[in-house]
Amino acid sequence: MPESILKTLESGFVLADGGNVEEMRLRGYRAPLVLEDFPDAVRLVHQDFFRAGAGVIRTLTGRCTRTGLGERRNGDGVDALNRRAVALAKGAAGGEALVAGTLAPTGAFQADDAGCADRARTEWDEQVGVLADAGADLLVCDSFDRLDEARLALACCRKSALPVVVSVDVALPEGRLNKPALRENEVTADGVAPAECARVLEGDGADVVGGAGMREPEDLWPVVLEMRDAVDAPIAFLPNGYRTCRAHWKTMREAMHVYGMEMGQYALKAVAHDIRFLGGSDGVVVRLLRSIAQALDCERKHIELRPR
């Protein structure tokens, strides 16, 4: 069995998987419904990320809450789908990688709406309980673009005994397209700068904090450096694999991938700067995760059996 995430981070780096939701989309499947309809496809994506070198496999549970499943099942199946997601990830990991139960933003959070916050808390409490009971090794609050919402999700996660990683999606400044990276107005959707996000989340009990979401490596790098300088907690670097600063990237995704060489170079740069929880967000497909693993010398290669 691999070491616990915190033990490993004391002396080295951890490579998580990439954008498994986006990898599913590129293969023609939609999360989280794919868990119910095509579980073998989910297993294969997890296995591919594991074979590429991932030491942490994130479950496909970002939308496995009552609200997330509401359109199709009126919220039914939360327990079953979260358990299936953990089982599929654990099966792919084969006891050689850690499994992270994943929580995602609600997509419609309003801090001044007590009903909205209460509903989110209730749903995350339910989901965290299932993920922990199903055997997740850690929890990840993935790509939250609001600090207030991330804090609420973190509070729900802290009710378990599992380590918690929280990644923040800091919005790109207005007018960023096709221009050099800007350093002003880099805040979350609720107006908080990266360093303050890191300090608050560390104070709330997050074991690992960092940046993720819509920024490609070049744009995310100064964000995580600012976080690293603000806190003692391990820092996560989970960039997007698409050229998100380019016009039309959302409609021309296949042509907008970051180069594998760039992903590998930033991974090496991150380790050199004591940023130890690595991986990717949307767009970091299996082949890009493999580029990172090759740079870090942790790619898993198939062992061929030679005839006697």
Coordinates of all heavy atoms in Angstrom, one line a residue, residues 113-153:
D113 N -27.4 33.7 0.6 CA -28.7 33.0 0.6 C -28.5 31.8 1.5 O -27.9 30.8 1.3 CB -28.9 32.5 -0.9 CG -30.2 31.7 -1.0 OD1 -30.7 31.2 0.0 OD2 -30.7 31.6 -2.2
A114 N -29.2 31.9 2.7 CA -29.0 30.9 3.7 C -29.5 29.6 3.3 O -28.9 28.5 3.6 CB -29.8 31.3 5.0
G115 N -30.6 29.5 2.5 CA -31.1 28.3 2.0 C -30.1 27.6 1.1 O -29.9 26.4 1.1
C116 N -29.4 28.4 0.2 CA -28.4 27.8 -0.7 C -27.3 27.2 0.1 O -26.8 26.1 -0.2 CB -27.9 28.9 -1.6 SG -26.6 28.4 -2.7
A117 N -26.8 27.9 1.1 CA -25.6 27.4 1.9 C -26.0 26.2 2.7 O -25.3 25.2 2.8 CB -25.1 28.5 2.8
D118 N -27.2 26.2 3.2 CA -27.7 25.1 4.0 C -27.8 23.8 3.1 O -27.5 22.7 3.5 CB -29.0 25.4 4.7 CG -28.9 26.3 5.8 OD1 -27.7 26.5 6.3 OD2 -29.9 26.9 6.3
R119 N -28.4 24.0 1.9 CA -28.5 22.9 1.0 C -27.2 22.3 0.6 O -27.0 21.1 0.6 CB -29.3 23.3 -0.2 CG -29.6 22.2 -1.2 CD -30.6 22.6 -2.3 NE -30.1 23.8 -3.0 CZ -30.6 25.0 -2.9 NH1 -31.6 25.2 -2.1 NH2 -30.2 26.0 -3.7
A120 N -26.2 23.2 0.3 CA -24.9 22.7 -0.1 C -24.2 22.0 1.1 O -23.6 20.9 0.9 CB -24.0 23.9 -0.5
R121 N -24.4 22.5 2.3 CA -23.8 21.9 3.5 C -24.4 20.5 3.7 O -23.7 19.5 3.9 CB -24.0 22.7 4.7 CG -23.3 22.1 6.0 CD -23.7 23.0 7.2 NE -23.2 24.3 7.1 CZ -24.0 25.4 6.9 NH1 -25.3 25.2 6.7 NH2 -23.4 26.6 6.8
T122 N -25.7 20.4 3.6 CA -26.3 19.1 3.8 C -25.9 18.1 2.7 O -25.6 16.9 3.0 CB -27.9 19.3 3.7 OG1 -28.3 20.2 4.7 CG2 -28.6 18.0 3.8
E123 N -25.8 18.5 1.5 CA -25.4 17.6 0.4 C -24.0 17.2 0.5 O -23.6 16.0 0.3 CB -25.7 18.2 -1.0 CG -27.2 18.4 -1.2 CD -27.5 18.9 -2.6 OE1 -26.6 19.1 -3.4 OE2 -28.7 19.0 -2.9
W124 N -23.1 18.1 0.9 CA -21.7 17.7 1.0 C -21.5 16.8 2.2 O -20.6 15.9 2.2 CB -20.8 19.0 1.1 CG -20.6 19.6 -0.2 CD1 -20.4 19.0 -1.5 CD2 -20.4 21.0 -0.5 NE1 -20.2 19.9 -2.5 CE2 -20.2 21.1 -1.9 CE3 -20.4 22.1 0.3 CZ2 -20.0 22.4 -2.5 CZ3 -20.2 23.4 -0.3 CH2 -20.0 23.5 -1.7
D125 N -22.2 17.1 3.3 CA -22.1 16.2 4.5 C -22.5 14.8 4.1 O -21.8 13.8 4.5 CB -23.0 16.7 5.6 CG -22.5 17.8 6.4 OD1 -21.2 18.1 6.4 OD2 -23.2 18.5 7.1
E126 N -23.5 14.7 3.3 CA -24.0 13.3 2.9 C -22.9 12.7 2.0 O -22.5 11.5 2.2 CB -25.3 13.4 2.1 CG -25.8 12.1 1.6 CD -27.0 12.2 0.8 OE1 -27.3 13.3 0.2 OE2 -27.8 11.3 0.7
Q127 N -22.4 13.5 1.1 CA -21.4 12.9 0.1 C -20.1 12.5 0.8 O -19.5 11.5 0.6 CB -21.1 13.9 -1.0 CG -20.2 13.4 -2.1 CD -20.0 14.3 -3.2 OE1 -20.0 15.6 -3.0 NE2 -19.8 13.8 -4.4
V128 N -19.6 13.4 1.7 CA -18.4 13.1 2.4 C -18.5 11.8 3.2 O -17.6 11.0 3.3 CB -18.0 14.3 3.3 CG1 -16.9 13.9 4.3 CG2 -17.5 15.5 2.4
G129 N -19.6 11.7 3.9 CA -19.8 10.5 4.7 C -19.8 9.2 3.8 O -19.2 8.2 4.3
V130 N -20.4 9.3 2.7 CA -20.3 8.1 1.8 C -18.9 7.8 1.3 O -18.4 6.7 1.2 CB -21.3 8.3 0.6 CG1 -21.2 7.1 -0.4 CG2 -22.7 8.4 1.1
L131 N -18.3 8.9 0.8 CA -16.9 8.7 0.2 C -15.9 8.2 1.3 O -15.1 7.3 1.0 CB -16.4 10.1 -0.3 CG -17.1 10.6 -1.5 CD1 -16.6 12.1 -1.8 CD2 -16.8 9.8 -2.7
A132 N -16.0 8.7 2.5 CA -15.1 8.2 3.6 C -15.5 6.7 3.9 O -14.6 5.9 4.0 CB -15.3 9.0 4.8
D133 N -16.8 6.4 4.0 CA -17.2 5.0 4.3 C -16.8 4.1 3.2 O -16.5 2.9 3.5 CB -18.7 5.0 4.6 CG -19.1 3.7 5.2 OD1 -18.7 3.3 6.3 OD2 -19.9 3.0 4.5
A134 N -16.8 4.5 2.0 CA -16.5 3.7 0.9 C -15.0 3.4 0.7 O -14.6 2.5 -0.1 CB -17.1 4.3 -0.4
G135 N -14.2 4.1 1.4 CA -12.8 3.8 1.4 C -11.8 4.8 0.8 O -10.7 4.4 0.4
A136 N -12.3 6.0 0.5 CA -11.4 7.0 0.0 C -10.3 7.3 1.0 O -10.4 7.2 2.2 CB -12.2 8.3 -0.3
D137 N -9.1 7.6 0.4 CA -7.9 7.8 1.2 C -7.7 9.3 1.6 O -7.0 9.6 2.6 CB -6.6 7.4 0.5 CG -6.7 5.9 0.2 OD1 -6.7 5.1 1.1 OD2 -6.7 5.5 -1.0
L138 N -8.3 10.2 0.8 CA -8.3 11.6 1.1 C -9.5 12.2 0.4 O -10.2 11.6 -0.4 CB -7.0 12.2 0.6 CG -6.7 12.2 -0.9 CD1 -5.9 13.4 -1.3 CD2 -5.9 10.9 -1.2
L139 N -9.7 13.5 0.6 CA -10.7 14.2 0.0 C -10.1 15.4 -0.8 O -9.2 16.0 -0.3 CB -11.8 14.7 1.0 CG -12.5 13.6 1.8 CD1 -13.3 14.2 2.9 CD2 -13.4 12.8 0.8
V140 N -10.7 15.8 -1.9 CA -10.3 16.9 -2.7 C -11.5 17.8 -3.0 O -12.4 17.4 -3.6 CB -9.6 16.5 -4.0 CG1 -9.3 17.7 -4.9 CG2 -8.4 15.6 -3.8
C141 N -11.4 19.1 -2.6 CA -12.3 20.1 -3.0 C -11.7 20.8 -4.2 O -10.8 21.5 -4.1 CB -12.5 21.1 -1.8 SG -13.2 20.4 -0.3
D142 N -12.3 20.5 -5.4 CA -11.5 20.7 -6.6 C -12.0 21.9 -7.4 O -13.2 22.0 -7.7 CB -11.7 19.4 -7.5 CG -10.7 19.3 -8.5 OD1 -9.7 20.0 -8.5 OD2 -10.8 18.4 -9.4
S143 N -11.1 22.9 -7.6 CA -11.3 24.0 -8.4 C -12.5 24.9 -8.0 O -13.4 25.2 -8.8 CB -11.5 23.6 -9.9 OG -10.4 22.9 -10.4
F144 N -12.5 25.3 -6.8 CA -13.5 26.2 -6.3 C -13.2 27.7 -6.6 O -12.1 28.2 -6.3 CB -13.7 26.1 -4.8 CG -14.5 24.9 -4.3 CD1 -14.1 23.6 -4.6 CD2 -15.8 25.1 -3.8 CE1 -14.9 22.5 -4.2 CE2 -16.6 24.1 -3.4 CZ -16.1 22.7 -3.6
D145 N -14.1 28.4 -7.3 CA -13.8 29.7 -7.7 C -14.3 30.8 -6.7 O -14.2 32.0 -7.0 CB -14.4 30.0 -9.1 CG -15.9 30.0 -9.1 OD1 -16.5 29.5 -8.1 OD2 -16.5 30.3 -10.2
R146 N -14.9 30.3 -5.6 CA -15.3 31.2 -4.5 C -14.6 30.7 -3.2 O -14.8 29.5 -2.9 CB -16.8 31.3 -4.4 CG -17.5 31.8 -5.5 CD -19.0 31.9 -5.2 NE -19.3 32.7 -4.1 CZ -19.6 34.0 -4.1 NH1 -19.8 34.6 -5.3 NH2 -19.9 34.7 -3.0
L147 N -14.0 31.6 -2.5 CA -13.4 31.2 -1.2 C -14.5 30.8 -0.2 O -14.4 29.8 0.6 CB -12.5 32.3 -0.6 CG -12.0 32.0 0.8 CD1 -11.0 30.8 0.7 CD2 -11.2 33.2 1.3
D148 N -15.6 31.6 -0.1 CA -16.6 31.2 0.8 C -17.2 29.8 0.6 O -17.5 29.1 1.5 CB -17.7 32.3 0.8 CG -18.3 32.7 -0.5 OD1 -18.0 31.9 -1.5 OD2 -19.0 33.7 -0.7
E149 N -17.4 29.5 -0.6 CA -17.9 28.1 -1.0 C -16.9 27.1 -0.6 O -17.2 26.0 -0.1 CB -18.3 28.1 -2.4 CG -19.0 26.8 -2.8 CD -19.5 26.7 -4.2 OE1 -19.0 27.5 -5.0 OE2 -20.3 25.8 -4.5
A150 N -15.6 27.3 -0.9 CA -14.5 26.4 -0.6 C -14.5 26.2 0.9 O -14.2 25.0 1.3 CB -13.2 26.9 -1.2
R151 N -14.6 27.2 1.7 CA -14.6 27.1 3.1 C -15.7 26.2 3.6 O -15.5 25.4 4.5 CB -14.6 28.5 3.8 CG -13.5 29.4 3.5 CD -13.6 30.7 4.3 NE -13.3 30.4 5.7 CZ -13.4 31.4 6.6 NH1 -13.8 32.6 6.3 NH2 -13.1 31.1 7.9
L152 N -16.9 26.3 3.0 CA -18.0 25.5 3.5 C -17.8 24.1 3.1 O -18.0 23.2 3.9 CB -19.3 26.0 2.8 CG -20.6 25.3 3.2 CD1 -20.8 25.3 4.7 CD2 -21.8 25.9 2.4
A153 N -17.3 23.8 1.9 CA -17.0 22.4 1.5 C -15.9 21.8 2.4 O -15.9 20.7 2.8 CB -16.5 22.4 0.1

